[in-house]
Amino acid sequence: SFYQMLQCDDGQWAGDYGGPHFLLPGIVISSYIVGLHSVLSEAHCRAMIVYIRNHQQADGGWGSHIESPSTMFGSVLNYVAMRLLGVPADDPASVEGR
């Protein structure tokens, strides 16, 4: 009964695994390979773009973790994920990310 209390209405157990900036790009890249919109809805894609934008650093890059300074690893993964999700190359976040 304890676990039933924690379980969400849709059957999953929600948990916060926020922090690493290399997990979301992995999902995006993998989904893109198999057909992005066959795996992710438009709403999911929009939410992912918002998340990536919200964690872009003042210097335009992304860290490998939410609290790290920008790294090449984090920046490349998140830039590529943003572009695969449909953010144009001339978007200010894309320009800053390059």
Side-chain angles (χ1 to χ4, degrees), residues 4-89:
Q4 288 176 330
M5 179 183 70
L6 298 176
Q7 193 171 16
C8 296
D9 292 336
D10 64 359
Q12 53 104 7
W13 285 271
D16 181 17
Y17 193 59
H21 280 158
F22 52 84
L23 298 175
L24 181 64
I27 292 170
V28 172
I29 294 165
S30 300
S31 298
Y32 184 83
I33 291 167
V34 299
L36 186 67
H37 297 296
S38 68
V39 178
L40 302 171
S41 69
E42 287 291 331
H44 284 111
C45 292
R46 285 192 306 274
M48 289 176 175
I49 292 168
V50 168
Y51 180 85
I52 293 170
R53 287 180 190 274
N54 285 343
H55 293 288
Q56 190 170 21
Q57 310 249 359
D59 65 4
W62 291 267
S64 56
H65 189 274
I66 201 166
E67 294 181 1
S68 79
S70 293
T71 63
M72 183 63 72
F73 178 69
S75 296
V76 168
L77 285 176
N78 283 281
Y79 176 82
V80 169
M82 214 169 51
R83 295 285 288 120
L84 292 177
L85 288 167
V87 176

